[in-house]
Amino acid sequence: MVVPPTPGRAGRPRKHAPLRLVTAVPLCDGHDSAVTTINTELAADGAEVIYLGYHCAASTIARAAVQEDAHAVGLSSYNGGHRIFFREVLRQLRERGAPDIPVFGGGGGTITRADERVMRRDGVDRIFFAGTPLAEIREAVRASYARELKASPRLTGDRLLGRRITLVERGIKVPAGGPVARGAATLVVGVAGPGGAGKSTLIDELTSRFLARRPGARVAILANDPTHPGTGGAILGDRVSAIYAQDDRVFFRSLATRGSLSGMSAAAPAVIALVRSCGQFELVLVESVGIGQESDPFGVFAGGAPAVDRTVYVISPHYGGRIQLQKTAMLTGADFVVLNKCDHPMARTASAEIGGMIAAPGGRAAFHTTVASQHNDPGVDRLFDAICAREAPMRARG
Ligand code: B12
Ligand SMILES: Nc1nc2c(ncn2[C@@H]2O[C@H](COP(=O)(O)OP(=O)(O)OP(=O)(O)O)[C@@H](O)[C@H]2O)c(=O)[nH]1
Ligand SMILES: [Mg+2]
């Protein structure tokens, strides 16, 4: 597969693949407005920013940095615990085979010059103090961390898989197979739907069912998010909703579309094939970007072999009316149609309209209703069972 070159700022070709940064606010800290500003600034400069949100444990940050194959980790800390917290993130990175991922950050006036000296001795790469102009932060981050990430025989486990995905995203062939011998067959499920319909929330709830029902087994999540066409940067935010990804049995990777308009990164089929071939995962959940009416991200209408085994189309009650449903290709192409946000008053009408459309000639999907934002929702239980049922439709694969 040929992956098109990533656009740089204002469409200029890049020297390197995009800088990938994991950013977060530590545990017991809700000061997220500074990091949100920094995220926006770095993404506008062409970086792919994987934002984890606030109140993040050190283990969540280290796991994400490894799986996302980040160039560096940026922390924004205002709760006074920065010396201990930054040190713990560095320790966990070392423990996960990633001592080379630099950690930097800021916290306005709460991080003093004296603190910084101690933190630098502990291995923190750089602290940005109050009053640092955003342009200086942007330049410093780019100059310090942008580099080509290469194959290395020293990498193992999730670090190795993370790096292989990075290489595949650049169009580089990597050997099939992986660190663990092939176990049970891998089921790959594609989840598509309009922006904000609840795809990530639903995937997180499906993950919780998988972790509870399949002790010891692993699940992978590949989440596509859009690259900004003007800047070439992206805020990869699907990980914020991934509560259950805070478990080493979950491998979560965010993919920026990097110019592809199909609803997935152009590299996604090759990344799916890689993750499938490594034999570590019983289930792979692939999230499309928020798609439009004509989109076919998994290629169900393309005539060839789709990239996934089963397809789920998630829609919320706010789709408009019957005419919008008739225009939406995936409603006739998906194996499962899920009306999410059924806690909304409009859900009754939506359920009748969508159910009616699927029951009419030409409809083929199994119809489910869910409230993904509610833990233990019985609709999600039924959907999980139906997707994983052996008799559920399995698409032919080449
Ligand atoms: C805004 C603010 C809030 C807002 C937060 C809104 C939000 N969603 O973020 C609200 C009002 C909710 C709030 C609440 C609280 N706050 Co408050 N808050 C602040 C305030 C005024 C500004 C922080 C900020 O966002 N600055 C804007 C950023 C862009 O600028 P900066 O801080 O100078 O950062 C620079 C660099 O460090 C760098 N940077 C920062 N982070 C990062 C990250 C990366 C990756 C990089 C590259 C760079 C970088 O960027 C800036 C560039 O110049 C500070 C006081 C202050 N003036 O700093 C107190 C402050 C942080 N808050 C404080 C406190 C105590 C609280 C509360 C506990 C108050 C209470 N009793 O309820 C709560 C806790 C809330 C929680 N859940 O954690 C104390 C913390 C004291 C401490 N740690 O010892 C402070 C210092 C105020 C004080 N002097 O007492 N707070
Ligand atoms: N009321 C309600 N809100 C929900 C439900 N499911 C998800 N949400 C909320 O809807 C918002 C969007 O959810 P996401 O899961 O991020 O949606 P998404 O489809 O992944 O969004 P994109 O990836 O940006 O396309 C979040 O605030 C969720 O908490 C639901 O069943 N009911
Ligand atoms: Mg999402």
Side-chain angles (χ1 to χ4, degrees):
M1 149 137 341
V2 179
V3 180
T6 315
R9 190 166 194 153
R12 289 195 303 274
R14 292 169 184 270
K15 205 165 135 218
H16 299 288
L19 178 60
R20 285 173 68 82
L21 301 164
V22 161
T23 64
V25 175
L27 220 46
C28 301
D29 196 339
H31 289 90
D32 63 353
S33 85
V35 77
T36 304
T37 305
I38 304 286
N39 288 344
T40 308
E41 194 63 25
L42 295 172
D45 196 44
E48 292 178 0
V49 181
I50 300 123
Y51 177 51
L52 307 184
Y54 56 84
H55 190 46
C56 286
S59 55
T60 303
I61 295 165
R63 183 184 303 108
V66 164
Q67 297 180 347
E68 300 287 354
D69 198 22
H71 286 85
V73 170
L75 304 177
S76 189
S77 172
Y78 287 87
N79 65 7
H82 40 271
R83 279 163 50 168
I84 293 167
F85 193 83
F86 277 64
R87 191 193 309 147
E88 179 58 16
V89 171
L90 286 161
R91 191 189 69 74
Q92 296 221 17
L93 283 169
R94 281 195 301 276
E95 212 168 64
R96 289 172 186 269
D100 53 314
I101 299 181
V103 175
F104 65 100
T110 62
I111 305 184
T112 64
R113 298 266 167 190
D115 288 342
E116 186 232 15
R117 282 193 290 279
V118 175
M119 292 166 82
R120 300 257 316 182
R121 272 203 300 277
D122 286 341
V124 173
D125 199 56
R126 178 152 181 189
I127 293 298
F128 293 93
F129 294 100
T132 316
L134 292 175
E136 189 181 322
I137 295 179
R138 210 172 55 213
E139 295 293 323
V141 168
R142 190 175 349 108
S144 309
Y145 307 123
R147 64 189 191 285
E148 215 66 280
L149 297 171
K150 301 204 169 81
S152 161
R154 288 195 312 266
L155 305 183
T156 56
D158 281 1
R159 189 93 212 274
L160 174 61
L161 181 56
R163 179 59 50 84
R164 283 183 165 171
I165 293 176
T166 300
L167 299 176
V168 168
E169 280 191 289
R170 293 220 308 268
I172 297 170
K173 261 191 173 342
V174 300
V180 175
R182 192 169 178 82
T186 303
L187 175 70
V188 183
V189 179
V191 180
K199 300 179 291 299
S200 299
T201 313
L202 187 63
I203 284 176
D204 196 43
E205 285 297 313
L206 294 172
T207 302
S208 83
R209 304 310 189 272
F210 178 87
L211 293 174
R213 310 250 186 103
R214 302 292 306 151
R218 295 198 80 194
V219 52
I221 299 165
L222 304 174
N224 290 271
D225 259 335
T227 295
H228 191 287
T231 65
I235 305 274
L236 304 178
D238 285 329
R239 217 170 169 125
V240 176
S241 315
I243 299 163
Y244 295 101
Q246 293 167 32
D247 187 309
D248 286 335
R249 285 164 58 205
V250 183
F251 180 93
F252 191 115
R253 179 64 176 239
S254 312
L255 300 172
T257 53
R258 298 188 181 177
S260 160
L261 298 178
S262 71
M264 290 205 294
S265 150
V271 173
I272 293 169
L274 174 75
V275 171
R276 199 196 278 276
S277 79
C278 80
Q280 286 188 61
F281 303 101
E282 274 189 24
L283 180 65
V284 180
L285 297 162
V286 184
E287 178 178 345
S288 76
V289 301
I291 59 166
Q293 293 167 335
E294 79 286 27
S295 304
D296 177 20
F298 309 119
V300 297
F301 297 106
V308 299
D309 301 319
R310 282 164 203 170
T311 51
V312 179
Y313 183 71
V314 185
I315 187 167
S316 82
H318 306 94
Y319 51 79
R322 277 204 176 90
I323 193 77
Q324 276 70 41
L325 296 179
Q326 286 171 332
K327 294 183 207 174
T328 302
M330 280 293 282
L331 278 173
T332 55
D335 301 315
F336 299 90
V337 169
V338 178
L339 175 65
N340 186 40
K341 305 200 183 184
C342 283
D343 51 335
H344 193 276
M346 281 164 72
R348 265 175 83 108
T349 308
S351 177
E353 285 184 351
I354 297 170
M357 186 178 159
I358 286 168
R364 58 177 293 277
F367 181 44
H368 288 258
T369 53
T370 57
V371 185
S373 58
Q374 230 164 63
H375 296 306
N376 301 321
D377 173 51
V380 177
D381 290 339
R382 285 190 288 273
L383 177 67
F384 179 81
D385 290 339
I387 290 173
C388 295
R390 242 178 307 163
E391 63 274 16
M394 188 91 168
R395 292 181 173 278
R397 211 168 14 97

